[in-house]
Amino acid sequence: MEITSLTVLVDILDAGNLSQAARNLKMTRANVSYHLSQLEKSVGVQLVRRTTRRVEPTEVGLRLYQHGRAIQNEMRAARETIATLGQGLQGRVGLSVPSGYGQMVMSDWLIDFKRLYPGIVLDVRFENRVDDLIRDEVDIAIRVMPEPPPTLVARDMGAVRYTACASREYAQVHGLPTGLEALRTAPLITAGVVGRQLRLRAYQGERREEVTLEPTLISEHFPFLRQGILAGLGVGLVPDYVVQDAVASGEVLTTLDEWRLSIFGTQMFMLYMPDRHQTRAVRTCIEYLLGRALPTGAAPPAPAPAAPLPCPPTP
């Protein structure tokens, strides 16, 4: 069994099809196909199933994928050791952070991290996409969601509390909603999901309510929503970090504080691949961010992930 063919199998399953694997490896498709066929001949069984859209591993293919991934990780670790001998901490960390939380909370953390580790290259993407979270250029993704994907390692970064709020001027003229149903008719400022109804979930002890909303100002860019709230355009439904300084100063008033509100989820998660080699730079960044998110106690341990299944994208 050739190690090169084994690692090519890993790249095929990660890419999802032979053509994309060939592009990633800068090889011809025929060469990639040759390595796969040679590996299948050497083990005597089929390793992948081809469909019209992608390739999927057989049971034996999945086992060999896991061995091949381990070999790739060891090779990368060895190269990193050689490259960093006698040098300070170096490397690249690809981060995908939510547009609002990333800009309004994490920006200061990342600036401080860069000051601490000037040799590390930070590649930060401000985005809210939930499909294909961990791509080749992204090592760590931060997201708010009800449940993390089972194929990724998820580290808890703490609770996210949504708040119903409005500027003091708006409240003086229009009043504040005093019940969940009043939100149906209020001019709402919040984030939304394209093509889906916006549902607000509210919890009070064991009680759970759900309200369908029709916002009048919608954006996934939370700094813009903050501007709309401060301008008195309506009632905001945003994470508390968006307006916490304005609430503290009295410029913004909150309502429905007895409810725990949720739109996209109540937990912030750090997500990364269970089987991808983590450089020292990536590991350092993970622990640093967890320490900033959970400063009052030790960061919770990483859960044991399920058997790592490759999740190839569609071509």
Side-chain angles (χ1 to χ4, degrees):
M1 182 186 301
E2 289 285 339
I3 291 180
T4 300
S5 297
L6 182 58
T7 57
V8 167
L9 172 67
V10 174
D11 290 302
I12 291 171
L13 292 175
D14 281 346
N17 60 75
L18 273 66
S19 298
Q20 185 59 51
R23 287 191 288 270
N24 294 343
L25 292 168
K26 295 180 173 58
M27 298 167 61
T28 65
R29 189 183 187 284
N31 201 357
V32 170
S33 181
Y34 170 79
H35 280 290
L36 177 59
S37 63
Q38 288 298 106
L39 185 61
E40 288 182 326
K41 285 180 182 178
S42 69
V43 297
V45 296
Q46 183 181 6
L47 299 178
V48 300
R49 289 185 291 268
R50 294 170 177 82
T51 69
T52 56
R53 302 186 66 187
R54 63 183 186 183
V55 296
E56 296 178 344
T58 62
E59 182 178 354
V60 176
L62 178 58
R63 290 179 180 271
L64 285 181
Y65 169 89
Q66 293 166 348
H67 287 296
R69 172 60 76 187
I71 290 171
Q72 281 189 342
N73 288 342
E74 287 298 324
M75 292 172 62
R76 288 167 180 159
R79 285 195 291 267
E80 181 188 11
T81 297
I82 294 170
T84 58
L85 282 175
Q87 300 178 0
L89 190 57
Q90 296 183 337
R92 175 194 173 279
V93 180
L95 279 166
S96 172
V97 300
S99 60
Y101 187 75
Q103 181 174 338
M104 305 178 81
V105 177
M106 293 187 67
S107 290
D108 289 342
W109 303 355
L110 297 174
I111 295 299
D112 290 344
F113 180 83
K114 183 62 180 169
R115 288 196 180 106
L116 283 172
Y117 304 103
I120 293 179
V121 175
L122 278 184
D123 183 355
V124 185
R125 299 158 188 265
F126 293 83
E127 56 187 1
N128 297 316
R129 61 187 292 182
V130 295
D131 60 317
D132 193 20
L133 278 177
I134 307 296
R135 305 176 294 284
D136 286 343
E137 67 274 16
V138 174
D139 300 295
I140 307 165
I142 311 297
R143 288 294 183 275
V144 177
M145 52 180 51
E147 294 289 338
T151 54
L152 301 179
V153 176
R155 307 289 294 272
D156 188 352
M157 293 185 70
V160 175
R161 179 181 173 85
Y162 271 73
T163 186
C165 60
S167 69
R168 180 175 292 277
E169 289 74 17
Y170 176 91
Q172 289 172 347
V173 175
H174 304 283
L176 292 172
T178 56
L180 295 173
E181 287 298 319
L183 294 174
R184 293 183 187 273
T185 56
L188 289 180
I189 301 170
T190 189
V193 181
V194 175
R196 285 170 48 189
Q197 281 189 319
L198 186 65
R199 297 182 182 275
L200 173 70
R201 295 171 180 84
Y203 306 87
Q204 191 180 77
E206 298 299 319
R207 184 181 174 191
R208 180 183 183 276
E209 299 284 344
E210 187 170 295
V211 182
T212 301
L213 303 176
E214 295 185 5
T216 59
L217 183 61
I218 306 169
S219 176
E220 64 178 24
H221 189 59
F222 285 99
F224 173 67
L225 296 180
R226 171 190 166 91
Q227 284 184 275
I229 294 167
L230 293 176
L233 299 181
V235 177
L237 280 174
V238 293
D240 56 4
Y241 61 79
V242 175
V243 291
Q244 61 186 3
D245 59 332
V247 171
S249 69
E251 189 177 1
V252 168
L253 305 178
T254 64
T255 185
L256 304 175
D257 295 328
E258 68 276 16
W259 292 92
R260 183 164 56 92
L261 305 176
S262 170
I263 295 179
F264 299 111
T266 58
Q267 291 297 124
M268 182 79 68
F269 292 102
M270 173 187 289
L271 307 168
Y272 50 86
M273 293 288 287
D275 54 356
R276 181 182 294 175
H277 170 65
Q278 290 177 350
T279 64
R280 286 179 57 212
V282 172
R283 295 195 301 271
T284 300
C285 188
I286 286 172
E287 296 309 317
Y288 177 85
L289 293 178
L290 288 172
R292 291 296 296 262
L294 304 167
T296 57
L309 292 172
C311 301
T314 56

